[in-house]
Amino acid sequence: MELLGRFFGAILNWCSGLTGNFWWAIVLFTLITKIIMLPISVMVQKNSIKMVRMYPEMNGIKAKFFGNKDRISEEQYNLYKRENYHPMFDLIPTILQLVILMGVVKAIPTDTERSSIIFPIGAALSSLVMCLAQNRSNVLQSEQGKANKWGTLIFSVALSLYLGIFVSKGVAFYWICSNLMATAQMYLLNICINPKKYIDYEALEESRQELEKVTRMSASTKKKRSRELIAREKADYKRFLGFENKQIVFYSEKNGFYKYFRGIIEAILRKTDVIIHYISSDPNDEIFSMESENFRTYYIEEKLMVLMMRMDADIVVMTTPDLQNYYIKRSMVRDDIEYIYVDHAMNSVNLTYHKGALDNFDTIFIPNELTREEIRAAEKLYGTKEKKLVEYGYALIDGMIADRSTQLPVKNDPPVILVAPSWQEDNIMDSSIEGILLSLLPGEKYQVIVRPHPQYVRHFPEKLEELGKRFSQYPNFTLQTDFSSNSTVFNADVLVTDWSGIAYEYSFTTLKPCLFINTPMKIMNPDYQELNIVPFDVRVRDQIGISVNTDALDQVSGAADRLLHEEIFSENSIRALREQYLFNIGSSANAGADYIIHRLIEKLK
């Protein structure tokens, strides 16, 4: 800091010699620092514009995935990366300004008098002017909430007043000049790089209103239920921690995830008298109606992070990746807990998860040999710990095969084409649905059923209503929004989807082919090619079906015809693929349960 003070002192002396006046020297010095920092200010201006330009899409993400913090963070991260936005860049001018201020404090002679009341007031007023101007005209600050704006204003004014009292007149005068010049520079940058040329403020306002609407609806619901839920969670938290010698705990993020554990849990309960503890972060989870003496259920949401760090059990099983990387941590009270990961899809763990998402698990239940190759290759490449890999399979498909076997076979005439999109960005409901339907519906060659993702039904009822009206003229068109039965999936002759995992569940259950629309691939790990292994999602895609590009949707009908008649897509061909890509077909739940039981017995020794 002494070196910085001497450097700034030399510049101030030069300015003093040039102007012949101490106060004008400070004005000139401040102007020089602003000119030197101008390129950075320009970059910050552009970065801020980029941020505000993304606001409509960010608000859309928050509305679309409202309440799903992990998905919102994931989508925002992808958006920042796509737009090359740097969230921390806006802090650079503030940091530099503080560095300069500390240098100025050292550079200005200490024998100058402490500030009279005029200088502290001047510093506070200049800060007030700057903050009011920023709240009104700064590209980013003007879009912040009122609490943020006024909180920043009060803090800045109070800090400037405090600074003005305890520093010399010269330092206080520099602070006044700096604030006023920063205000002038902001208006100058707005003229030279006008945000209105780059930002769609109409779209921004529409997205803001949509988000506010969703937020109000959620707030209203939370207000009605919050006291009840807080009391319920508190009681369950206490009850869980009070249960000693817990052997096995399952954790589920939300309702609907029990299906991934169901087979394993039922097998354990059937084969042993072990008490299973099942935690869910969804108060409406179906599992709460299934509680029994050996199946204890708990609602834990807000206290989840703390509970996980206080976890005391022999084995913890979960489908949530990124253990230890985000909010779910390994236990801090026991280091011998075995954390087991059970996949909730057949997708590539290298492509569709963040890099290192499974590194902190001890054991992974794998569906096939390809998953083993990916995990072992990643461990070798990145030097991470070797995990225990259990040949498991995929119990969800086993359950679907069993459910389908109870139904009578159906011969469709005409053939049924089921359109079942994913819920990822650019899914075919948003990008391709009209082109697909216009290729399949005319001529009534097929019966076409559109079955949107449940989240799409929840968030975009108006779009679905419009789609229904648009194609109501076709008697062979059906829009299905009732998901209480899988009969539609079981009985369809061809499935049309994008990158949804439903493709593998459908084909390996029904032994029927898929037609894939090549929307942008979902890539959570941009470095997935480092392993030099073709991901399951890419490898199997053209083995169980045909892919059609979004600019060639007129080919969908012809592709569907090929899938229905070519031998390569027959039941026997897809059955062979199922044998290749699934361990323990029909018995994966038993394989998983047997491993857990074996490990519990070992831990008792």
Side-chain angles (χ1 to χ4, degrees):
M1 195 57 64
E2 291 293 336
L3 182 63
L4 187 65
R6 287 197 295 270
F7 174 69
F8 283 161
I11 298 176
L12 276 168
N13 288 333
W14 178 81
C15 292
S16 183
L18 190 66
T19 61
N21 182 279
F22 174 74
W23 303 108
W24 280 111
I26 293 176
V27 173
L28 180 58
F29 171 83
T30 309
L31 180 61
I32 290 172
T33 60
K34 296 298 181 187
I35 293 173
I36 292 173
M37 290 177 59
L38 184 59
I40 294 176
S41 299
V42 169
M43 286 189 284
V44 169
Q45 175 84 349
K46 291 180 178 179
N47 201 55
S48 298
I49 289 174
K50 192 181 295 182
M51 179 61 177
V52 179
R53 194 174 64 230
M54 291 190 295
Y55 268 10
E57 193 168 349
M58 288 177 64
N59 289 338
I61 289 171
K62 291 176 182 177
K64 184 176 182 180
F65 303 110
F66 193 85
N68 189 341
K69 296 178 182 178
D70 292 337
R71 185 64 185 274
I72 290 172
S73 298
E74 174 185 312
E75 295 293 335
Q76 286 185 346
Y77 171 81
N78 292 335
L79 178 59
Y80 288 171
K81 189 169 184 179
R82 188 190 78 200
E83 297 295 330
N84 196 29
Y85 172 73
H86 305 285
M88 304 302 293
F89 199 84
D90 292 338
L91 295 177
I92 293 178
T94 302
I95 294 171
L96 290 177
Q97 185 60 54
L98 289 175
V99 171
I100 293 172
L101 177 62
M102 288 186 287
V104 168
V105 170
K106 289 289 184 180
I108 291 180
T110 56
D111 56 353
T112 57
E113 298 178 10
R114 293 288 181 190
S115 301
S116 63
I117 191 62
I118 296 175
F119 285 92
I121 292 175
L125 288 176
S126 67
S127 182
L128 178 64
V129 169
M130 181 180 69
C131 289
L132 289 174
Q134 287 176 336
N135 287 347
R136 181 180 178 84
S137 303
N138 180 272
V139 183
L140 193 56
Q141 184 67 22
S142 61
E143 301 301 327
Q144 303 299 311
K146 289 183 178 179
N148 196 340
K149 289 179 180 180
W150 292 107
T152 302
L153 183 147
I154 292 170
F155 176 78
S156 298
V157 172
L159 178 64
S160 297
L161 182 64
Y162 178 86
L163 183 71
I165 292 173
F166 290 99
V167 298
S168 65
K169 292 180 180 178
V171 174
F173 184 64
Y174 160 76
W175 192 245
I176 294 170
C177 294
S178 179
N179 286 339
L180 295 178
M181 287 186 188
T183 305
Q185 184 185 68
M186 179 193 67
Y187 284 112
L188 180 63
L189 287 174
N190 280 350
I191 294 172
C192 298
I193 310 174
N194 191 344
K196 293 181 180 179
K197 293 181 179 180
Y198 305 93
I199 299 170
D200 187 344
Y201 282 98
E202 184 176 338
L204 176 60
E205 182 58 30
E206 289 177 0
S207 70
R208 185 186 289 116
Q209 291 177 4
E210 180 64 26
L211 179 58
E212 288 176 355
K213 179 181 176 182
V214 174
T215 304
R216 283 196 302 270
M217 291 173 59
S218 175
S220 176
T221 304
K222 283 185 176 181
K223 187 176 181 180
K224 293 176 182 177
R225 303 173 59 214
S226 60
R227 288 185 180 178
E228 176 189 345
L229 288 181
I230 289 172
R232 177 181 167 188
E233 180 177 15
K234 184 178 179 179
D236 281 4
Y237 179 84
K238 184 177 180 180
R239 182 164 57 93
F240 179 85
L241 292 180
F243 196 105
E244 297 182 354
N245 302 317
K246 291 183 286 289
Q247 291 180 283
I248 182 166
V249 174
F250 285 80
Y251 168 66
S252 171
E253 299 173 63
K254 56 187 176 183
N255 185 36
F257 275 49
Y258 177 72
K259 61 186 177 184
Y260 304 115
F261 301 126
R262 178 180 134 193
I264 299 174
I265 290 174
E266 289 179 351
I268 294 174
L269 293 175
R270 187 173 62 249
K271 296 180 179 186
T272 73
D273 60 357
V274 169
I275 295 176
I276 292 176
H277 302 269
Y278 193 105
I279 300 169
S280 175
S281 292
D282 187 339
N284 300 313
D285 200 313
E286 61 183 346
I287 57 101
F288 294 115
S289 64
M290 300 161 52
E291 182 151 6
S292 66
E293 183 64 25
N294 281 46
F295 185 68
R296 309 291 180 89
T297 61
Y298 310 86
Y299 163 60
I300 308 292
E301 185 176 6
E302 298 296 328
K303 295 177 176 291
L304 181 65
M305 181 184 294
V306 177
L307 180 135
M308 284 297 187
M309 289 191 291
R310 296 183 64 183
M311 179 61 65
D312 181 10
D314 294 322
I315 292 176
V316 175
V317 186
M318 56 204 301
T319 64
T320 308
D322 287 301
L323 175 66
Q324 196 69 19
N325 296 338
Y326 295 111
Y327 66 97
I328 297 183
K329 308 295 184 182
R330 290 181 66 105
S331 174
M332 295 182 68
V333 299
R334 282 186 62 174
D335 59 7
D336 64 338
I337 297 177
E338 181 174 354
Y339 286 85
I340 300 176
Y341 181 76
V342 177
D343 212 336
H344 59 274
M346 287 189 64
N347 305 85
S348 161
V349 297
N350 180 45
L351 175 74
T352 59
Y353 291 163
H354 297 121
K355 182 188 287 188
L358 304 183
D359 284 353
N360 294 299
F361 286 90
D362 304 293
T363 304
I364 301 174
F365 284 8
I366 59 174
N368 50 44
E369 194 63 37
L370 186 57
T371 304
R372 188 201 310 274
E373 290 180 25
E374 287 188 339
I375 293 173
R376 292 295 184 231
E379 290 170 347
K380 183 177 180 180
L381 180 63
Y382 304 122
T384 53
K385 74 173 183 179
E386 184 173 303
K387 292 163 281 294
K388 188 177 297 182
L389 304 182
V390 176
E391 292 185 3
Y392 169 64
Y394 194 40
L396 181 61
I397 287 181
D398 289 346
M400 292 176 70
I401 292 173
D403 291 344
R404 184 171 182 263
S405 68
T406 64
Q407 300 189 1
L408 294 174
V410 175
K411 179 66 175 178
N412 297 312
D413 186 21
V416 173
I417 309 294
L418 176 63
V419 182
S422 69
W423 176 230
Q424 70 185 65
E425 188 178 359
D426 296 322
N427 66 78
I428 57 181
M429 290 300 296
D430 289 332
S431 64
S432 317
I433 189 63
E434 290 206 5
I436 293 169
L437 294 178
L438 289 174
S439 179
L440 292 172
L441 290 173
E444 300 182 24
K445 187 177 181 180
Y446 309 108
Q447 176 68 33
V448 182
I449 301 174
V450 176
R451 182 181 165 113
H453 192 283
Q455 291 292 340
Y456 199 92
V457 175
R458 176 186 172 191
H459 289 280
F460 302 109
E462 299 86 0
K463 289 184 179 180
L464 292 177
E465 184 179 357
E466 184 179 338
L467 182 71
K469 291 178 180 178
R470 168 77 171 80
F471 291 96
S472 61
Q473 67 193 55
Y474 295 96
N476 55 330
F477 168 74
T478 303
L479 179 62
Q480 184 182 74
T481 56
D482 181 0
F483 307 101
S484 58
S485 170
N486 277 330
S487 60
T488 304
V489 178
F490 291 155
N491 296 330
D493 296 293
V494 173
L495 178 80
V496 180
T497 190
D498 34 49
W499 290 94
S500 173
I502 193 177
Y504 320 116
E505 296 167 9
Y506 167 81
S507 285
F508 290 160
T509 297
T510 66
L511 302 179
K512 295 176 182 179
C514 292
L515 197 162
F516 297 97
I517 306 301
N518 287 332
T519 57
M521 183 168 60
K522 181 179 180 179
I523 301 174
M524 294 306 299
N525 175 17
D527 301 323
Y528 76 95
Q529 293 178 328
E530 290 180 341
L531 298 190
N532 292 318
I533 297 175
V534 179
F536 173 86
D537 311 60
V538 178
R539 182 177 303 194
V540 181
R541 193 175 177 85
D542 291 326
Q543 293 180 317
I544 62 172
I546 295 173
S547 296
V548 175
N549 292 330
T550 53
D551 59 356
L553 296 177
D554 57 330
Q555 300 176 12
V556 166
S557 180
D561 191 61
R562 287 180 56 200
L563 292 171
L564 289 167
H565 297 100
E566 292 185 6
E567 181 63 25
I568 192 175
F569 304 115
S570 67
E571 284 193 10
N572 287 336
S573 297
I574 296 177
R575 182 181 286 108
L577 290 171
R578 184 174 72 181
E579 295 288 337
Q580 177 184 349
Y581 289 112
L582 271 181
F583 291 131
N584 302 310
I585 298 170
S587 61
S588 59
N590 280 324
D594 288 345
Y595 172 81
I596 291 174
I597 293 169
H598 173 71
R599 291 293 295 133
L600 290 176
I601 293 172
E602 286 188 334
K603 286 176 177 285
L604 288 174
K605 292 179 180 179

